[in-house]
Amino acid sequence: MTNPIHNFTARLPGIVYGGDYNPDQWTRETWLEDAALMRQAGVRLVSVGVFSWSSLEPADGQLDFGWLDEVMDILHDHGISVNLSTPNAAPPPWLATEHPEVLPTNKEGRKIAIGSRAHFCPSSTVYRERSQKIARALAKRYGNHPALAMWHIGNEYHTQCFCDQCGARFRDWLRDRHGSLDALNEHWGTTFWSQRYSDWSQVDLPKPVMGNVNPARELDFKRFSSDLLLGCFREERDIMRAITPDIPVLTNFMRFFTGADYTRWAREEDAVALDIYPNPADAESHITAAFNYDLMRSLKGGQPWLMMEQASSAVSQWPLNLVKKPGRMRLGSFQAIAHGADAVMFFQWRASRYGQEKFHSAMLPHSGTDTRTWQEVVDLGQELTQLEEIAGTTAEAAVAIVWDWENWWAMEGVAHPTKLSYVDIVTRHFTPLWRRNIATDVITLDADMSGYRLIVIPNSYVLSEAQTEQLNAYVRSGGHVLISFFSGVVDEHDRVIPGGYPGGLLSLIGGRVREFSPLPSDERVRVDMRGSETDAGLWQDDLVTDGATVLATYTDGYLEGEAAILRHGLGDGVVTYLGTQLSETGMDRMLDTVLADAQVAAVLETPAGVEAVERHGPEGSYLFLLNHGQHSAEITVPPGAAELLSGRVAVVAGDTLTLEPAAVAVLKRDRQPVADSRA
């Protein structure tokens, strides 16, 4: 558990509002103007110094903190707190030119040049020492400054390096993980293709090879790369904690980022923060956003998190950067709050005049205060003050969906029966839960499952013995599990589990898979779900039962008449196994059955496109209604619920609330706790 003194909500009560601020791009006169406009917009917190290493240390050992001193004082004088960053994300050119070993090497062996960001090798002793040196100087200088609220270590850690320094660290990491060279050979299966190592010096990073690299080696390298970056974070975090033990320390995560295992990272920081830029051109980007928000909330057991970066309008990363239509920025901000965020922040405060992101929107656009974006920013800042009592409240969920970085890495490895997208598969399982307004946590199979009625496992290609045992215990004690194909296939070293497919699930699903049968992208098969037909694609398991009940069969193709879906009662619980990827309609029907069996109810029944999410606190529960659709919607709301954003009170049972497109309502009502996990 996080020490309460490190909880950012204790230092910044209420809903935090603000964004990234880069004062070293502007003059002192602009700083004063910015601070005044921040107050007008309701800004309470700004992230400062993320990319300021060159400004703070223009030459080796020549520190220039004078401008930052003044900025910190100006912000404090205007009642604005600072999330002060260590600037390691973009080393200055002098460091790269005087110490070229700090530059990273790509997989093909070429050095990465300066001119962008993240141009550092995380194994470089020089880079680490210099990063720690400037972090220590910042901590000593500003640790007692009244504006300081949080430490922000680095930025969006994502560098991967294939240099000799990283090779040496990789070997050290492998020794710690596997214990001996014999164990490594066993775990990696190096007798295949004569890869067996006789000395540690022969073990290297997975650089380009003739054909495919050993998948177990590739999986360990991904684990190592995440841990290597995490080590850089820890070193600076420990400096800050030693000098300023009362100040929370964090870094910022990214949406669906494959390069770091955020489950492990979240344990090492005091709060979770997310940078997310849903694409306005994607009509369903708010659904994947909801999943990412649930993931961030779940990473620290429901603790409030920060939406550290979003766009006020257009971003600069999509092929077509559409502006956010009126009300959509507000809608997305409230969606994050509904899913547990206690901070709404943006990249960035003032739009840059130059550089790679000069056309990225900002709270204060190039056109200034005479813009729709500015007015929406001001309006949102004022509106969030009405929701201060919501800060610190939590979500309660009877359903958990499984998301695991190590499984993601392994599942998308080489030479599988077909190319699978973990993000796509997980989204296909999350979306029908979202459409039904089912409160959902996001967990790994190592987490405590006892509080959930239903565990949804979109895919668990990797399954350890301990995870299998935990799933068995969960089901036998009354839990329900919905699990999809290509699960339980390999152990944590990417070795096929013996005994036939799916080796890790044979004791759970009440059947076995005789053969995997992936389908071409344009081929569909028909499935009969007890008299109701639907179609399926991507994958077919050739299933035979061993105690399970058949819920669905294939009605065409070479597996016509064979089982497609199994239901297996085990102890007091139930496992439902999907041997194919059902259509959206088929998945809806299947989920209706599974949710009914598990006795899981929606937060609230709403029209299509209207999301209902609830947060709970000691003073009551807070029901968020968000209309993501293009048409107005009428919702029957609970009796006696006060609408916090307008003061409207629904006092009659069955009262109807009308939500226009992009509209939001927040209803406070007497606390309605989620029932115990299992009756």
Side-chain angles (χ1 to χ4, degrees):
M1 292 292 292
T2 297
N3 187 325
I5 205 166
H6 289 144
N7 190 331
F8 77 94
T9 58
R11 300 184 64 83
L12 293 167
I15 304 297
V16 177
Y17 192 53
D20 275 39
Y21 184 39
N22 296 287
D24 44 331
Q25 297 178 14
W26 307 99
T27 64
R28 183 181 187 281
E29 289 72 25
T30 304
W31 301 343
L32 294 169
E33 177 188 359
D34 282 336
L37 289 173
M38 286 177 189
R39 289 197 64 174
Q40 181 181 338
V43 167
R44 300 178 55 207
L45 180 72
V46 290
S47 300
V48 175
V50 174
F51 297 113
S52 296
W53 196 338
S54 293
S55 299
L56 293 169
E57 192 174 10
D60 190 3
Q62 298 179 19
L63 296 177
D64 180 7
F65 289 154
W67 66 270
L68 185 54
D69 291 346
E70 191 167 2
V71 167
M72 294 285 285
D73 291 344
I74 289 172
L75 291 170
H76 176 65
D77 290 344
H78 286 78
I80 299 162
S81 297
V82 174
N83 173 34
L84 189 56
S85 178
T86 64
N88 66 54
W94 61 259
L95 183 59
T97 54
E98 295 176 21
H99 300 277
E101 69 272 21
V102 306
L103 291 172
T105 301
N106 68 14
K107 197 167 188 177
E108 287 70 38
R110 294 192 299 271
K111 281 284 186 183
I112 302 299
I114 59 175
S116 183
R117 61 174 183 163
H119 48 276
F120 63 86
C121 166
S123 293
S124 167
T125 301
V126 172
Y127 167 75
R128 287 189 175 213
E129 288 176 349
R130 298 306 178 91
S131 296
Q132 294 169 42
K133 180 180 178 182
I134 195 165
R136 187 175 290 106
L138 287 166
K140 289 181 176 179
R141 190 173 188 95
Y142 300 108
N144 293 318
H145 196 287
L148 180 66
M150 282 184 277
W151 289 116
H152 184 310
I153 306 298
N155 179 73
E156 296 182 342
Y157 282 91
H158 63 277
T159 301
Q160 194 175 70
C161 182
F162 293 82
C163 74
D164 291 342
Q165 298 172 96
C166 288
R169 284 186 182 265
F170 185 42
R171 285 184 285 276
D172 290 341
W173 183 92
L174 291 170
R175 287 188 186 94
D176 289 341
R177 177 173 177 81
H178 299 279
S180 69
L181 194 59
D182 285 343
L184 174 76
N185 281 310
E186 174 66 22
H187 295 157
W188 282 10
T190 56
T191 53
F192 187 82
W193 281 355
S194 188
Q195 298 169 49
R196 187 169 183 83
Y197 302 104
S198 58
D199 189 87
W200 279 106
S201 63
Q202 300 160 9
V203 184
D204 200 4
L205 307 169
K207 297 175 182 178
V209 297
M210 295 295 291
N212 293 322
V213 74
N214 183 321
R217 179 186 177 199
E218 183 74 33
L219 177 58
D220 265 351
F221 177 68
K222 291 182 183 296
R223 290 168 170 147
F224 159 75
S225 295
S226 176
D227 285 354
L228 180 61
L229 289 172
L230 181 56
C232 294
F233 168 83
R234 282 194 191 116
E235 288 171 352
E236 292 190 33
R237 177 208 62 188
D238 290 348
I239 290 170
M240 290 1 213
R241 283 185 174 171
I243 298 172
T244 57
D246 296 345
I247 305 296
V249 186
L250 51 74
T251 189
N252 45 344
F253 295 164
M254 293 177 281
R255 166 191 178 273
F256 284 142
F257 177 60
T258 186
D261 183 346
Y262 289 155
T263 302
R264 291 171 60 85
W265 280 64
R267 300 171 191 150
E268 304 291 341
E269 56 180 1
D270 297 317
V272 168
L274 175 67
D275 297 351
I276 185 166
Y277 297 96
N279 187 353
D282 179 358
E284 295 195 339
S285 62
H286 57 281
I287 301 176
T288 54
F291 176 82
N292 277 271
Y293 300 155
D294 285 342
L295 173 59
M296 293 302 116
R297 184 192 70 243
S298 302
L299 284 173
K300 290 191 79 67
Q303 181 176 308
W305 56 279
L306 302 93
M307 182 159 70
M308 186 67 76
E309 292 183 20
Q310 65 164 331
S312 59
S313 188
V315 297
S316 56
Q317 67 192 52
W318 306 112
L320 174 63
N321 287 293
L322 299 181
V323 300
K324 291 183 178 179
K325 294 180 179 179
R328 295 289 163 171
M329 179 272 284
R330 172 180 182 266
L331 178 65
S333 299
F334 274 105
Q335 185 187 30
I337 296 170
H339 287 266
D342 275 4
V344 172
M345 301 179 70
F346 297 82
F347 180 84
Q348 58 181 323
W349 162 252
R350 181 184 283 268
S352 297
R353 290 184 56 215
Y354 39 72
Q356 287 90 326
E357 293 180 311
K358 58 181 174 290
F359 295 118
H360 193 296
S361 61
M363 301 175 78
L364 181 61
H366 289 135
S367 299
T369 57
D370 186 23
T371 56
R372 173 175 64 86
T373 294
W374 169 254
Q375 191 56 56
E376 289 190 0
V377 164
V378 172
D379 291 345
L380 178 61
Q382 294 173 350
E383 199 170 26
L384 292 181
T385 62
Q386 302 174 44
L387 301 180
E388 291 196 357
E389 66 184 270
I390 290 176
T393 60
T394 58
E396 296 175 353
V399 176
I401 190 168
V402 172
W403 171 273
D404 186 279
W405 268 270
E406 294 195 2
N407 184 65
W408 184 6
W409 298 331
M411 195 199 84
E412 295 187 0
V414 299
H416 287 172
T418 190
K419 187 174 179 61
L420 298 173
S421 166
Y422 189 52
V423 169
D424 180 66
I425 288 174
V426 172
T427 301
R428 284 175 175 270
H429 288 71
F430 176 80
T431 297
L433 293 168
W434 179 88
R435 294 194 195 283
R436 284 165 175 74
N437 297 321
I438 302 296
T440 306
D441 286 344
V442 184
I443 65 171
T444 69
L445 289 175
D446 301 305
D448 179 9
M449 303 176 184
S450 61
Y452 301 106
R453 295 184 177 186
L454 172 66
I455 305 294
V456 177
I457 308 175
N459 174 283
S460 189
Y461 167 70
V462 176
L463 197 65
S464 69
E465 287 187 15
Q467 291 170 338
T468 298
E469 291 173 2
Q470 172 151 285
L471 273 174
N472 264 290
Y474 168 75
V475 176
R476 290 182 181 279
S477 66
H480 289 245
V481 171
L482 174 66
I483 188 166
S484 283
F485 56 89
F486 206 45
S487 292
V489 179
V490 299
D491 65 13
E492 62 270 32
H493 303 297
D494 206 3
R495 302 175 301 184
V496 172
I497 299 172
Y501 304 139
L505 294 172
L506 289 173
S507 61
L508 279 158
I509 70 171
R512 61 185 175 86
V513 179
R514 288 183 293 205
E515 188 176 41
F516 296 143
S517 181
L519 296 170
S521 60
D522 59 349
E523 185 175 334
R524 308 293 292 176
V525 294
R526 300 296 296 173
V527 176
D528 176 25
M529 302 172 65
R530 293 187 169 180
S532 176
E533 275 214 351
T534 187
D535 67 328
L538 185 67
W539 189 279
Q540 280 185 293
D541 278 339
D542 181 0
L543 283 167
V544 293
T545 61
D546 183 15
T549 301
V550 177
L551 289 186
T553 57
Y554 300 110
T555 61
D556 62 4
Y558 89 100
L559 290 178
E560 181 178 354
E562 300 292 342
I565 301 174
L566 302 180
R567 182 185 189 276
H568 186 217
L570 189 65
D572 294 326
V574 176
V575 177
T576 302
Y577 179 81
L578 307 182
T580 188
Q581 186 176 91
L582 295 171
S583 66
E584 183 177 316
T585 301
M587 191 64 178
D588 279 339
R589 293 172 187 161
M590 190 71 259
L591 200 59
D592 282 341
T593 299
V594 172
L595 290 170
D597 285 349
Q599 300 181 10
V600 174
V603 172
L604 186 73
E605 299 290 338
T606 60
V610 177
E611 180 180 11
V613 188
E614 197 161 30
R615 292 179 64 162
H616 301 269
E619 297 184 10
S621 63
Y622 303 88
L623 178 64
F624 288 75
L625 301 173
L626 308 108
N627 188 357
H628 298 280
Q630 302 300 320
H631 305 285
S632 62
E634 293 187 347
I635 303 105
T636 301
V637 299
E643 212 288 273
L644 297 185
L645 297 180
S646 68
R648 180 182 186 277
V649 179
V651 293
V652 181
D655 197 9
T656 299
L657 184 67
T658 300
L659 278 185
E660 298 301 322
V664 177
V666 183
L667 307 180
K668 181 180 179 180
R669 55 178 176 161
D670 292 339
R671 179 162 166 76
Q672 304 288 325
V674 172
D676 289 340
S677 61
R678 290 185 288 279

